[in-house]
Amino acid sequence: MQPVLTPSSASKLDHGLIAEYSLSEPALIDNAAMGVFNLTASMIAEPVTVLVGPGNNGSDGIALASILHDKGFNVSVLYLYEKGNAENLRRRKNLSTAIPVVENIPEGGTIYDALFGFSFHGEADERLRKIAKEAEKASLVISVDVPSGGIMRSDVTVSLMMQKTVLYMPSAAPGTILEHNPGFPEKELRLSPDSVYLLSDSDSSMKSFRENDYKNTRGHVCIAGGSDRYTGAPRLAARAAFFAGAGLVTIATESERIRDENPAVMITPPSSDYSRFSSVVVGPGWDKGNENVFEDILESGRPVVIDADGLKFVLHHSFHGNVVLTPHVGEYRRLCAALGIDDALSDPDALPYKLREIASHLDAVIVLKASSVWIADADAVYIYHGANPSLGVAGSGDVLSGIIGALLAEGEKPLNAAIDGVILHQRAGRNAHNAYGFYSAEELILEVGKAR
């Protein structure tokens, strides 16, 4: 796991380390520019335009323009504003007159976005929005540190110093994320004061099955959901649970229309006794749902995944650390509104703390599903950067809920099941994209079994 910083913590660390170690800000700027160049030089298509903002991020861009010119690239600069801080204006004055200053972005070529760094606050103004829109004409957009203003759509982002939450917000579009430390002491970059961590596949703790495991030792997952209107969601969750390793799967539903061509999936009416199952997934395709069934499930004491239509019943509950909630962004907004909590979806400083607040309030694990998945309990937040649009397909969320249900049935704790489930889901999504391009949830489920 890598530590991730909120913008406020990144700013505090940046200024603190410069003061503590007497670091030279101009040297850090030059090192940042050289690092960005070295990591991206092989990608460049000419002409190159460097977009320069008024602060230190803009100074990085001016230094980068000088390097590009010295290396023989056809480069120009575009200043967002005439104003700038002292270092920025000094570098503008000393920039080679051989580097043209332009007013518009040419079509094609490469854009280096050095308009605003992680400390940007507030709303993007009309000028910034216009430049961000024009940048879409480029063949390649490379952002220096972060995509500017939260609105730049980047193909590549070179994150400086440390990873930052702004890169992983649901609305962010950072593209491929690379990293460069421009000169801060490495030993000081190993912790997150915000308790936010970036996950990789190596952080999975899923255990292999033993040779003597069989259906009863691998767990029995109940999928409580489905309706006459939505018959597919519980079936997808059920199949995903099987492919994730569950030994037995039952769909508990009030709908007589739900059948499954897989004869291994058992179908049963809702029951007042869910304690016979190892775990329960409640909500896929539930439509209007049934609050009495929801209460029966909670009273069983079994670990539960609450997804989709089950989320409408979570208010006024404390789940005693035994539940995983899996809202997508829209469901998360509705949940926050019902709880009277600001969703912080546009605030990279606040979002980790809001997720932990909700997790603490409900005594549950939260899995916020977006292009980057945020997993939170009361103590910490974990981010998996999927950046795989092929996973944005109908039924993908049902697959994830089934996977997490299977891991809970195997005995994983809710936080571990959420982390391992997200990693397995994302790994399967990558494999499915490589195999099929874009695909349906059925193909995704096949890859779950291979990736498990």
Side-chain angles (χ1 to χ4, degrees):
M1 296 184 193
Q2 286 182 269
V4 182
L5 300 178
T6 61
S8 292
S9 292
S11 180
K12 183 177 179 180
L13 182 64
D14 181 294
H15 292 104
L17 293 178
I18 287 172
E20 181 178 354
Y21 289 90
S22 301
L23 301 176
S24 164
E25 289 196 68
L28 290 171
I29 289 169
D30 290 334
N31 291 342
M34 184 57 73
V36 171
F37 173 79
N38 288 336
L39 287 170
T40 61
S42 63
M43 310 173 189
I44 294 173
E46 296 182 274
V48 184
T49 307
V50 182
L51 309 180
V52 174
N56 283 347
N57 191 250
S59 294
D60 295 339
I62 299 168
L64 178 60
S66 293
I67 294 169
L68 289 162
H69 176 260
D70 291 345
K71 299 292 185 180
F73 286 93
N74 175 14
V75 60
S76 59
V77 296
L78 185 153
Y79 295 123
L80 181 65
Y81 310 118
E82 292 183 6
K83 63 183 180 181
N85 66 21
E87 178 65 19
N88 187 291
L89 294 176
R90 182 187 72 80
R91 288 177 180 267
R92 293 189 196 194
K93 183 177 180 180
N94 294 334
L95 188 66
S96 171
T97 56
I99 300 175
V101 176
V102 298
E103 295 293 329
N104 298 296
I105 297 173
E107 294 217 13
T110 299
I111 296 294
Y112 278 98
D113 159 32
L115 295 172
F116 291 103
F118 63 81
S119 59
F120 177 86
H121 290 92
E123 295 291 327
D125 64 15
E126 184 178 349
R127 172 67 170 161
L128 176 55
R129 290 187 179 280
K130 179 176 180 292
I131 293 297
K133 183 66 176 176
E134 287 185 4
E136 295 177 6
K137 300 185 297 184
S139 301
L140 178 69
V141 177
I142 301 171
S143 285
V144 178
D145 198 28
V146 300
S148 288
I151 62 171
M152 188 71 71
R153 300 186 62 84
S154 306
D155 300 294
V156 178
T157 297
V158 181
S159 180
L160 301 173
M161 185 174 71
M162 286 180 69
Q163 298 280 355
K164 304 169 190 76
T165 54
V166 67
L167 295 171
Y168 304 105
M169 297 295 286
S171 60
T176 300
I177 299 174
L178 306 176
E179 298 176 61
H180 175 64
N181 177 6
F184 295 98
E186 289 285 349
K187 67 179 182 179
E188 302 286 358
L189 307 181
R190 296 173 184 166
L191 297 174
S192 170
D194 305 295
S195 296
V196 183
Y197 303 94
L198 186 67
L199 297 168
S200 65
D201 285 5
S202 63
D203 293 310
S204 173
S205 60
M206 276 188 300
K207 295 179 181 178
S208 300
F209 291 115
R210 299 165 297 185
E211 290 182 1
N212 61 345
D213 274 319
Y214 70 114
K215 64 181 182 181
N216 288 330
T217 62
R218 284 164 46 192
H220 188 171
V221 180
C222 174
I223 310 296
S227 60
D228 289 346
R229 186 180 179 190
Y230 300 114
T231 62
R235 294 160 58 199
L236 290 170
R239 293 183 194 181
F242 264 132
F243 277 79
L248 296 161
V249 181
T250 293
I251 297 176
T253 182
E254 295 176 333
S255 174
E256 295 182 356
R257 292 187 57 199
I258 292 178
R259 298 288 184 269
D260 201 296
E261 55 267 30
N262 182 349
V265 176
M266 296 174 279
I267 310 291
T268 184
S271 165
S272 61
D273 181 15
Y274 288 86
S275 62
R276 64 191 177 96
F277 301 109
S278 307
S279 68
V280 183
V281 178
V282 57
W286 218 13
D287 200 8
K288 296 180 181 179
N290 186 317
E291 191 166 7
N292 291 331
V293 172
F294 185 83
E295 297 298 334
D296 289 339
I297 290 169
L298 296 183
E299 289 176 8
S300 73
R302 295 307 188 194
V304 178
V305 180
I306 304 176
D307 185 39
D309 296 298
L311 292 165
K312 66 185 72 170
F313 297 124
V314 305
L315 294 184
H316 314 302
H317 286 91
S318 177
F319 295 114
H320 310 294
N322 208 30
V323 166
V324 179
L325 278 64
T326 58
H328 58 55
V329 170
E331 292 164 340
Y332 170 75
R333 281 198 180 99
R334 291 191 288 273
L335 176 61
C336 289
L339 291 171
I341 296 174
D342 179 17
D343 60 47
L345 284 169
S346 61
D347 188 343
D349 274 318
L351 182 58
Y353 292 94
K354 291 299 180 182
L355 287 170
R356 288 171 59 187
E357 179 183 351
I358 296 169
S360 177
H361 178 78
L362 297 174
D363 197 4
V365 174
I366 310 295
V367 178
L368 174 58
K369 298 178 294 190
S371 56
S372 292
V373 183
W374 294 59
I375 305 163
D377 66 5
D379 299 317
V381 175
Y382 306 88
I383 301 172
Y384 192 100
H385 182 53
N388 181 1
S390 71
L391 269 174
V393 63
S396 178
D398 303 311
V399 173
L400 177 59
S401 66
I403 292 171
I404 297 174
L407 297 176
L408 288 172
E410 293 165 21
E412 289 203 24
K413 298 296 184 183
L415 179 61
N416 289 341
I419 290 173
D420 289 344
V422 166
I423 291 173
L424 177 55
H425 184 247
Q426 293 281 342
R427 188 186 301 158
R430 286 198 303 273
N431 292 347
H433 187 61
N434 291 336
Y436 309 109
F438 285 85
Y439 49 82
S440 70
E442 286 88 345
E443 285 79 27
L444 175 62
I445 290 170
L446 296 176
E447 297 303 323
V448 170
K450 297 174 185 177
R452 176 64 170 87

